[in-house]
Amino acid sequence: MRLDVKKGEFLGLGVTKGKTWAEFCFECRRESSCKILLYKRNCTDAPVEIPVSEGLFEGNLCSVRVQGLDLTEYDYNYCIDDKEMLDPYARKIAGREKWADQERKTGLRSRFETAPFSWRSDPGVEILRKDMVLYKLHVRGFTMGLPDSVPDKGTFRGLEKKLSYLKSLGITSIELMPVYEFEELVSSQPQEKEPVHYTDWKAAKKKKSRKVEEKPKYRLNYWGYGEGMYFAPKASYAAGEAADAELKSCILQMHKKGMECILEIDFADTVSALRILDVLRFWVKEYHVDGFHLQGNHIPMELLMQAPCLGRTKLFYRGMTEEQIAESEKNFPRIFVDTDEFLYPCRKLAGGFDGNVWDLANQMKKQNERLGYINYIADHNDYTLADLFAYGQKHNEANGENNMDGPQWSFNINCGVEGECKSRNIRKVRLRRMKNAAAMLLLSQGVPMLMAGDEDCNSQQGNNNVYCQDNSTGWKDWKNGRVSKEFLSFIRQMIQFRKEHAILRMEQPMKLSDTKSVGWPDLSYHEENAWITPHYFNRKAIGALYCGKYADEDEEVYIGFNFSDFTKKLALPKQEGKKKWYLVMDTAAKDSFLNEPEEVEDAWYILEAQSVCIIIGK
């Protein structure tokens, strides 16, 4: 095949396609031997090689324009110093269309292929930080457990069909675990050989020995973390052949339902700062992504925060501090830190360990004008919320690492029986502890994050590290029992209550003083006596009173916590005029949320052990 090859115009890294030409632009040093390899699709012939001469370079960039090349007929790779490599800017990777395919017949190849898609109907979504309720999910794991009658399980289309469910839950922001191309078959495992018995060995001696070639076993990288092809959506997450169009359609439907899309991206240490910027800019421009949860040791946050193209894009990163963020970010706070600071104080108290209610109080009021906080009690890399109170020990044997992997200590408790239990009393105790944990999370000032399935008691059977469990253990269980339906209803009501009371999600940090001279502080604490709260380190009960006037609301919100083993009397401050106190929710009650608020006639509320209540003043 004769090709007209000349120097390109350096239009951008990757491949740019014109009407009659294709331009390849990639990083390569002049001293290296470079080739472009063109593979005829659906053909096993050797590739056509296009040698790269010195005249095609500018700096360490090489740009090659090939006239008359039809990229619908060819895939490509680069060969640099005799090492064949994928194009890190490829829009699609050919060869990974089937999930965990151990029978791949050809190597992976780069492909320039984009399905037509129109964003004209995209309304655009910009959720304010104070309004966010975050839900994190794995595209495959979230949808594979759906009933067999539901088509497109494990795909972007499958996720799109469940967006109405997330909307009804009250979710505003959906975080997707890696959806770009990654290698799910990460390591071969030797097959375990069964012990040979003497009689079998003796019989085998009479036959001619014959070697049988064993197929390698692979351990799955089910979650998708690690180095990936960051510009290509994962082909095996597509129901059809156009993963890019299906993911775009899913994001478009999120926007139409008033929800935003956050992508989690794990950058390897070898990825440069400029490439990281290119990746984020690409997903914002091509896929209308609203934010990123960034993983990696060398994320150039200063560069990313200064990039105009990301000026309205949310960025989550564990290593952020307030001092790194410009004063101007107060106008539209979009930088978030995600750590486990909130997780452990809440787990200690919810599980009945030696926690301190003041640690909880500090975490629940934590807020900053420039820096947002992502709060969670369960994430993908630990127990589910239900398993936190159903298992005292981790059960990771199926991972093949002798149960040595996963967090060793997570403040989990089985409440008397390990795992599933028929005891009605134990199930009741577990449910109340889950409700207490959810109340702490959804009544905190920071952004609450739910892990997929935690809203309806999803279990991983005590496995707290399902990184390789592409099965019912790692999938969300959609078969809801009575307890899970009750908890799901509780979560919906908690989210709704949060949305109805702006005082619970202020942009400004609480001052714990009456800065507006309205008669009460914005936030105050109460115990057996109103306004008196001695700071004993082992306190287990407290009442937190939020003054609604600081959010231009008429109602006060009083949250009572009792994580002791005894009933506690929590004082209610006297209100002015005709305002009274009304009980709205008590996790010790059968239905938790009352159908109608119930007046509290005394100057206190008696809260049962291991319970949380909400009382409003109006």
Side-chain angles (χ1 to χ4, degrees), residues 544-586:
L545 173 57
Y546 293 87
C547 179
K549 292 184 177 66
Y550 282 83
D552 298 323
E553 296 178 329
D554 294 330
E555 293 184 353
E556 273 68 61
V557 178
Y558 184 103
I559 307 170
F561 300 98
N562 181 13
F563 296 106
S564 72
D565 294 327
F566 308 96
T567 298
K568 291 289 184 179
K569 181 187 290 186
L570 293 178
L572 298 169
K574 185 177 180 180
Q575 299 189 83
E576 294 182 354
K578 297 182 179 181
K579 295 184 78 172
K580 298 178 181 180
W581 292 110
Y582 295 88
L583 178 67
V584 174
M585 188 279 293
D586 189 335

Side-chain angles (χ1 to χ4, degrees), residues 12-258:
L13 286 162
V15 173
T16 304
K17 184 180 179 182
K19 289 184 178 181
T20 60
W21 51 265
E23 181 173 305
F24 301 82
C25 188
F26 57 99
E27 295 181 39
C28 183
R29 294 186 175 274
R30 297 177 188 227
E31 296 80 8
S32 298
S33 62
C34 305
K35 300 176 185 176
I36 300 173
L37 307 178
L38 297 177
Y39 289 92
K40 187 77 172 178
R41 293 189 188 179
N42 303 318
C43 181
T44 58
D45 293 349
V48 176
E49 297 184 358
I50 302 178
V52 175
S53 62
E54 186 173 340
L56 303 177
F57 283 85
E58 285 187 6
N60 287 331
L61 282 182
C62 177
S63 184
V64 181
R65 179 167 290 194
V66 183
Q67 194 72 29
L69 177 63
D70 186 355
L71 281 176
T72 63
E73 297 181 3
Y74 288 89
D75 297 328
Y76 70 99
N77 279 340
Y78 299 128
C79 184
I80 300 177
D81 291 331
D82 298 324
K83 182 179 179 181
E84 185 170 351
M85 57 181 289
L86 295 165
D87 179 3
Y89 284 77
R91 301 291 188 90
K92 183 174 182 178
I93 303 301
R96 286 201 183 123
E97 292 78 10
K98 182 180 178 182
W99 169 263
D101 184 8
Q102 298 185 29
E103 307 295 333
R104 294 173 184 164
K105 297 180 180 179
T106 61
L108 301 178
R109 297 169 182 176
S110 310
R111 179 172 291 181
F112 182 89
E113 187 170 88
T114 55
F117 190 84
S118 173
W119 288 99
R120 289 183 181 178
S121 59
D122 186 6
V125 173
E126 198 167 76
I127 308 295
L128 298 179
R129 182 181 72 178
K130 64 184 180 67
D131 297 329
M132 290 174 63
V133 178
L134 187 63
Y135 189 96
K136 183 175 180 179
L137 62 86
H138 183 282
V139 169
R140 182 173 173 84
F142 184 69
T143 57
M144 282 298 294
L146 289 167
D148 293 337
S149 58
V150 178
D152 304 325
K153 296 192 294 184
T155 68
F156 298 125
R157 283 185 192 168
L159 171 58
E160 185 175 326
K161 293 174 182 177
K162 299 305 296 183
L163 294 180
S164 295
Y165 163 79
L166 295 177
K167 180 67 176 179
S168 70
L169 193 60
I171 301 304
T172 68
S173 311
I174 301 174
E175 179 178 333
L176 304 181
M177 292 169 67
V179 293
Y180 47 83
E181 278 293 356
F182 58 85
E183 180 55 80
E184 62 269 25
L185 300 176
V186 292
S187 61
S188 60
Q189 300 294 323
Q191 289 190 352
E192 296 181 1
K193 296 182 179 180
E194 296 182 1
V196 178
H197 299 287
Y198 173 76
T199 53
D200 297 333
W201 169 79
K202 189 174 181 180
K205 286 187 66 177
K206 298 180 180 180
K207 299 180 180 180
K208 293 183 179 180
S209 61
R210 182 175 60 181
K211 291 185 178 180
V212 179
E213 185 177 349
E214 295 181 347
K215 296 181 180 179
K217 284 187 176 181
Y218 292 92
R219 179 168 296 169
L220 284 176
N221 173 20
Y222 168 60
W223 285 339
Y225 296 108
E227 188 170 4
M229 303 303 295
Y230 299 111
F231 293 84
K234 188 147 188 63
S236 60
Y237 284 0
E241 297 182 357
D244 55 343
E246 288 186 28
L247 178 53
K248 289 175 181 178
S249 175
C250 187
I251 295 174
L252 176 60
Q253 293 305 314
M254 290 182 196
H255 289 175
K256 287 186 175 182
K257 294 181 181 298

